Amino acid sequence: MNYLQKSAEYIKKMRAKATEVDITLNDVDCKATVGSTLFKSSGNFAGGIYERSVDFLIAVDALDAMPTTDDVITWNDKNFAIVSYNGEPPVRYSDPLETTYRIHCKEVGGE
Amino acid sequence: MITTIADSIATLLNEGTGEDEIVAVVDYVPDFNLRDLDERQIVIVPTGCDWDNLTRGKVSRTYVFEIGVLQRLSGEDEIEDFCESVISIGDRLKNSMIGDYRCMSVETIQLYNPSDYKQSKKAVGVLRARYKGL
């Protein structure tokens, strides 16, 4: 493990220690950090529309596979659908060493 | 001149027909947050100018505007009403005269986008109107 990999692992551990909350991914208990991303969409319009996603950051080694848009996350009794904003990937790695998934979601109602 | 015509387009659209009353504004840098679209937004954006030779030495200008209609809908059943309102704006603009400029064409760039609706229930209709100097 080189220096950068060690640093990434350290940051992942610190993030987990300081910010993780309990969620369920398809009814399986899991831990995640909640964040957000601001997307700008314009499409065929001269102007822009800003939308903020709810993001869940989950350690790659905590999951068997990369989540997909068929999965549902539940947090604080609210359901979140995994969605693609502006055609961008709904799930991506949040770091170059691919230790953490960043999952873009929108709230779709209560449990 | 292009800004004067843009203002006049807003005035023209705001002369509502009662039940279909709308509020259109000129916006040179239109940016919205999603929550802004809970109310229907109609914005006029000047986007271009074309030049045509009328005769040797005489040039006619055509000013181009985009009219954006943006709204967050509460259900799929509102899409039809939204599309009709976009089309009715086109009806009002076509052939309208603003000073010496006539609206020669109105085209739909986008009536609405199903992907936009699927993503966040927003509907964005875009018309392009061309006003030619006579």
Side-chain angles (χ1 to χ4, degrees):
Chain A
M1 190 180 277
N2 64 32
Y3 179 72
L4 283 178
Q5 287 169 323
K6 279 182 187 169
S7 300
E9 279 299 318
Y10 175 77
I11 290 168
K12 190 176 80 174
K13 279 179 190 162
M14 286 301 104
R15 177 183 61 74
K17 193 175 171 185
T19 63
E20 276 189 344
V21 296
D22 292 317
I23 64 163
T24 60
L25 176 65
N26 295 336
D27 297 327
V28 176
D29 290 337
C30 189
K31 286 190 176 294
T33 297
V34 183
S36 68
T37 303
L38 190 63
F39 288 93
K40 182 181 183 181
S41 67
S42 55
N44 292 314
F45 178 51
I49 302 167
Y50 291 94
E51 287 180 60
R52 190 175 286 281
S53 67
V54 176
D55 295 349
F56 292 94
L57 282 76
I58 302 178
V60 168
D61 52 20
L63 302 176
D64 293 332
M66 183 181 267
T68 69
T69 51
D70 295 329
D71 298 326
V72 175
I73 289 174
T74 306
W75 172 53
N76 273 352
D77 299 329
K78 291 174 183 164
N79 289 332
F80 294 83
I82 300 173
V83 292
S84 164
Y85 284 83
N86 306 337
E88 292 186 32
V91 182
R92 64 181 104 200
Y93 294 108
S94 75
D95 59 319
L97 295 172
E98 303 183 353
T99 63
T100 306
Y101 292 124
R102 178 176 285 271
I103 306 166
H104 301 298
C105 296
K106 71 171 180 181
E107 190 185 330
V108 290
E111 264 186 306
Chain B
M1 189 63 199
I2 193 167
T3 55
T4 308
I5 296 175
D7 290 338
S8 299
I9 292 172
T11 306
L12 177 73
L13 293 179
N14 288 333
E15 288 167 357
T17 56
E19 62 186 46
D20 194 22
E21 198 167 319
I22 59 176
V23 179
V25 296
V26 179
D27 194 339
Y28 299 102
V29 191
D31 274 333
F32 297 96
N33 289 312
L34 194 56
R35 69 171 67 92
D36 298 333
L37 307 187
D38 289 343
E39 295 275 325
R40 182 176 294 178
Q41 306 282 342
I42 300 174
V43 291
I44 296 132
V45 189
T47 56
C49 181
D50 297 334
W51 292 263
D52 295 298
N53 287 331
L54 285 179
T55 60
R56 252 184 244 171
K58 188 160 187 187
V59 173
S60 166
R61 282 184 188 171
T62 300
Y63 293 117
V64 186
F65 303 88
E66 275 191 15
I67 295 94
V69 184
L70 307 93
Q71 187 177 8
R72 194 171 191 196
L73 307 178
S74 54
E76 217 170 309
D77 55 329
E78 292 184 2
I79 290 177
E80 184 181 352
D81 177 56
F82 178 85
C83 292
E84 285 300 330
S85 74
V86 175
I87 291 167
S88 75
I89 288 172
D91 290 339
R92 288 193 209 180
L93 294 178
K94 181 74 173 86
N95 289 326
S96 62
M97 286 290 298
I98 294 174
D100 293 332
Y101 289 79
R102 177 186 290 276
C103 183
M104 303 300 282
S105 71
V106 184
E107 59 181 313
T108 306
I109 304 301
Q110 172 178 292
L111 198 52
Y112 78 103
N113 184 340
S115 301
D116 283 343
Y117 180 80
K118 194 176 171 189
Q119 183 178 304
S120 48
K121 290 190 173 177
K122 66 178 184 286
V124 180
V126 185
L127 298 172
R128 179 174 294 148
R130 306 172 74 86
Y131 280 80
K132 183 170 183 151
L134 302 175

